[in-house]
């Protein structure tokens, strides 16, 4: 089974989000840092732990990702519609929206950003 960030990245990359120029996992490549000409998302892990305990054994795994959207400086689309589509993408794939943080603006680049936290419970096979 893929790590949470890999699962989320594959899902985002397979979606047709016309407003999104790129998606990355764990960290941003150096050529992307500071670039305000593209809207990108950075997906990092915030949760990965056993869950659903019974008979002294866990029967599930709880995973979670942080998805941080960095909007390009000249936005030509509705950020609210983009965020609704983004959240629905995760929801349709069985992820739960843990948090949706307020928009922030970077003081240096003036770039608008938005952060979501998504979680998902995985059912795992019983170990022999």
């Amino acid at each position: 089974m893929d790590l949470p960030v890999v699962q989320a990245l594959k899902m985002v990359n397979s979606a047709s989000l016309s407003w999104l120029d790129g998606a990355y996992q764990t960290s941003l490549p150096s050529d992307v840092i500071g670039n305000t000409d593209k809207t990108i998302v950075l997906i990092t892990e915030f949760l990965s732990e056993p869950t659903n305990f019974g008979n002294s054994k866990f029967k599930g795994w709880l995973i979670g990702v942080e998805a941080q959207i960095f909007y390009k400086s000249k936005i030509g689309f509705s950020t609210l519609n983009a965020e609704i589509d983004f959240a629905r993408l995760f929801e349709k794939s069985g992820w739960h929206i843990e948090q949706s943080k307020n928009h922030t603006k970077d003081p240096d680049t003036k770039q608008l950003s938005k952060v979501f936290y998504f979680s998902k419970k995985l059912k795992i096979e019983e170990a022999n």
Side-chain angles (χ1 to χ4, degrees):
M1 189 174 308
D2 288 331
L3 290 171
V5 292
V6 174
Q7 291 180 41
L9 184 67
K10 284 180 180 178
M11 180 185 59
V12 169
N13 283 337
S14 68
S16 56
L17 301 172
S18 60
W19 54 270
L20 187 62
D21 298 308
Y24 304 91
Q25 72 181 44
T26 311
S27 64
L28 293 174
S30 59
D31 62 324
V32 173
I33 296 173
N35 182 343
T36 61
D37 295 332
K38 295 182 178 186
T39 297
I40 60 168
V41 65
L42 173 63
I43 300 170
T44 57
E45 183 179 299
F46 88 92
L47 183 63
S48 183
E49 62 188 31
T51 189
N52 296 344
F53 290 87
N55 296 328
S56 299
K57 295 181 181 181
F58 62 90
K59 299 178 181 359
W61 204 264
L62 185 59
I63 61 173
V65 295
E66 175 189 80
Q68 192 170 10
I69 302 170
F70 299 94
Y71 290 105
K72 58 185 165 186
S73 58
K74 294 179 183 171
I75 303 169
F77 54 88
S78 166
T79 57
L80 182 57
N81 287 343
E83 291 161 10
I84 290 169
D85 289 345
F86 191 72
R88 283 187 174 152
L89 172 67
F90 278 82
E91 190 177 58
K92 287 177 187 174
S93 295
W95 293 80
H96 174 74
I97 302 167
E98 291 286 330
Q99 291 183 42
S100 173
K101 296 291 191 176
N102 59 312
H103 294 93
T104 59
K105 191 172 250 190
D106 184 280
D108 297 325
T109 66
K110 310 295 185 230
Q111 197 170 10
L112 186 68
S113 67
K114 171 76 173 178
V115 176
F116 287 98
Y117 290 89
F118 300 103
S119 67
K120 186 176 189 179
K121 285 185 179 178
L122 304 175
K123 200 181 251 187
I124 56 175
E125 299 293 323
E126 184 72 30
N128 293 333

